[in-house]
Structure formats: C-alpha cells, structure tokens
Amino acid sequence: MRLVLLGLPGAGKGTQGDRISEKYGIPHISTGSIIRESIASGADLGEEANGYISKGELIPDELAIRVVHERIIQPDCSRGWILDGFPRTVLQARELDQRLIKSGLGVQMAVDIRVSHVEAIERIAKRRMCSSCGAVYHLDHYRAKGKGICDKCGGDLYRRSDDTEETARRRLAVYMRQTHPVLHYYGQNGRLYSIDGVRPIDEVFADVDHYLQKLVEEGTVGEAR
Ligand code: AP5
Ligand code: MG
C-alpha cells in the first residue's frame, strides 16, 4: 500500500495516518514529525529547517525530497508506506513519481481530507501533542484523561511552536498557494480520492478505509518491493 495524505494543516492527516498504519501495519511517515524530531535533537536537518517551519513556510524542495527518499528505502517500508505532509509541491510530487517509476511501485492513492479553513484553525489552536510518543490530542474533542499528561505513555503534552494563530494562518495560505495544485496533479491521473474530514475521527477513518479496500481487493496491500 503506497498512499499520500493531503489536506490543510489541521485536517487530520496525522490522526488518520496513525489509524491506517495501525490497521495495515505499514509505516506512517510524517515529514513534519521527522523535521521536528531533528530540531529537538539538534541534527543538521533540524538546524536547516527550523527557520522555515517556525515561520510556517515550506522547507526547500530538495531537502524535503532527501528526507523522504532516505526514509522510504528503509527495510520497514518494504510493504509500502503512508506519506503525510509529502508531497507539498508539484515538484515534490513529480520527483516522487520519477524516483519510483523504475520499480513500478509508485503512489497508488492520494487521499485528500477536506475541512474548512475555520475548522482547520480551530483544530490547530486546540491541538496538544505528547512530547514523548507524539500522540495527538484536542482540548475539546479528544482530551487526555490526566491534565497535560499523555494517556498512552505518561509523557508531557505541549503545543507545537507553529500552532499559534498567526503561524497557522500563514500555513493555510502557503498550503493554498503551493500544495493545493498537488490535488490537481493526482486528480489528472485518477489517483485522487476526497474525504469529508469534518466528522468524528472514526467516521472519517471508515471512509478512508472504504477506499483502501480497493487496494486490498486488487491484492496490492502488503506486496513486496
Ligand atoms: P506538518 O507537521 O505536516 O504540519 P501540517 O501539514 O501543517 O499539518 P498538521 O500536522 O498541522 O495537521 P494534521 O493534518 O496532521 O492534523 P492532526 O491529525 O494533527 O508540517 C509542519 C511543517 O513542516 C510545514 O509547515 C513545513 O514547514 C514543514 N514541512 C513538512 N513537510 C514538508 C514538505 N514536504 N515540504 C516542505 N516543507 C515541509 O489533527 C489536528 C487536530 O485536530 C488535533 O488536535 C486532532 O486531535 C484533531 N482532529 C483530527 N481529526 C479530527 C476530527 N475528525 N474531528 C475533530 N478533531 C480532529
Ligand atoms: Mg500532522
């Protein structure tokens, strides 16, 4: 299974990516999470990316492409992958296709999780993340049981530095200008599937899973690379 998850910041890509990964046993690869981990650990990638991410701008294409390329050649990706937050430009989408074309194992489906800008801002403002395991919560809809503590691992919850309202608005504008054309790219060759993302997480997942069943029926889930 080789999927890309598209959608505005806050649409629920990370949330659904985790669910798909859990059900199908395929790695969920979030470029944003990889960059945040690199910033936290002081790695070179983090230093290079920090200035962009903190302003809500995209990191340069060649850097993002390198991050994904290095990740999808790892052994745990042999049965496929779920990319979340990549590709974010048409150039990234083309480059991904070109790199995968030789193996015949390109992107099978691009799932667009649709929410309004108002909903996206509300979700981002109330999101809290676990500093230890990365679990995602929401102050109203998906609260942690203990105040500021992750239900899964007991880690401290924090607010992402790019989740301020000002930076979130910037991220939405960047999405519309640079990432929205990627929908058209996948739509042109019949790989785009749109989902209404403004429903409870389980219902959104049921819709995503309905489309994933097509891949299961085609026998393309779990194929070896
Ligand atoms: P990234 O980390 O990918 O951020 P994003 O695209 O802005 O998306 P988010 O993570 O904010 O939202 P999400 O869709 O994952 O929503 P979530 O599931 O958390 O990228 C960050 C930055 O990294 C970029 O700005 C850029 O600088 C850089 N970057 C990354 N990739 C790059 C690339 N390829 N090229 C260049 N630069 C790149 O959910 C949000 C909230 O809503 C949570 O609180 C959740 O609990 C809640 N929620 C989820 N689903 C529902 C639901 N159905 N109903 C109610 N609440 C829900
Ligand atoms: Mg995310």
Side-chain angles (χ1 to χ4, degrees), residues 10 13-15 31 36 57 85 88 127 137 160 171 199:
K13 303 181 293 295
T15 303
T31 41
R36 281 186 289 280
E57 302 287 343
R88 268 184 138 97
R127 170 171 46 200
Y137 297 90
R160 267 169 52 177
R171 285 158 56 202
R199 286 165 313 139

